[in-house]
Amino acid sequence: MTALATRFVPRQPQALVLEDDRITRQRAAELIAGMGFEVAQTASPEEAEGWVRTSDGGYALALIDWDMSRSPDTDGLREPEARHLTAKSVLEALDETSPWTRTLVWAGQLGVLETQSAISRAHAGALLQDKSLGEGALRERVRALLGCRFGD
């Protein structure tokens, strides 16, 4: 073996969690980290978009909350604008730069056709998961989406 080969350390698969609610974000990040991922988490769509556009090797998984009305990016916005802030730019960046990333939009308004259409326009390959189904359903969906459990 060469010296280079002996120093190689395999990287954990990377995951991105964008969620504007702190407690929900932490719980989702813990759930995904428990599946063997190294997790980057943020409440800011602007920050998440920057990470996606500059990530080295991309993310294996992106868990994205659509409604960003409680994001720090709403600071300085008027109330109607803040209520309509979404993760659209992050989904577009994932679609443009990382189409192989398994992208799961985890949101509470997925029964609204307008929301589904907006998500589909931003990233045609994004899958949808309703938050009302809970963390157990999210865990099973991620496992099924990846076809395996990382870390086993």
Side-chain angles (χ1 to χ4, degrees):
M1 273 198 207
T2 67
L4 180 62
T6 59
R7 285 190 241 143
F8 175 74
V9 178
R11 227 173 80 171
Q12 284 180 285
Q14 308 290 300
L16 170 64
V17 173
L18 172 61
E19 167 61 60
D20 59 349
D21 179 75
R22 182 182 57 82
I23 293 170
T24 304
R25 181 177 62 254
Q26 290 172 340
R27 291 180 65 117
E30 288 170 6
L31 182 145
I32 292 170
M35 297 176 77
F37 286 88
E38 184 177 316
V39 180
Q41 56 177 302
T42 184
S44 165
E46 187 175 311
E47 184 172 43
E49 180 184 355
W51 290 351
V52 168
R53 293 196 182 278
T54 60
S55 68
D56 181 30
Y59 296 96
L61 174 68
L63 180 62
I64 308 296
D65 179 21
W66 177 251
D67 175 10
M68 292 283 106
S69 58
R70 293 182 286 179
S71 164
D73 294 355
T74 62
D75 293 349
L77 294 179
R78 292 176 295 182
E79 180 61 26
E81 293 169 324
R83 271 188 281 133
H84 296 292
L85 185 65
T86 67
K88 178 179 182 252
S89 64
V90 179
L91 291 175
E92 290 171 340
L94 283 162
D95 192 40
E96 292 167 16
T97 65
S98 304
W100 55 86
T101 297
R102 302 288 199 261
T103 302
L104 186 59
V105 178
W106 190 42
Q109 308 165 355
L110 293 177
V112 178
L113 184 57
E114 182 178 289
T115 301
Q116 293 176 16
S117 295
I119 292 168
S120 181
R121 283 191 305 273
H123 188 320
L127 300 173
L128 308 176
Q129 179 77 18
D130 197 307
K131 281 185 180 178
S132 68
L133 298 175
E135 289 178 20
L138 175 63
R139 181 182 303 106
E140 292 308 310
R141 182 72 185 270
V142 169
R143 285 183 181 156
L145 178 62
L146 298 172
C148 65
R149 184 171 167 207
F150 284 94
D152 281 352

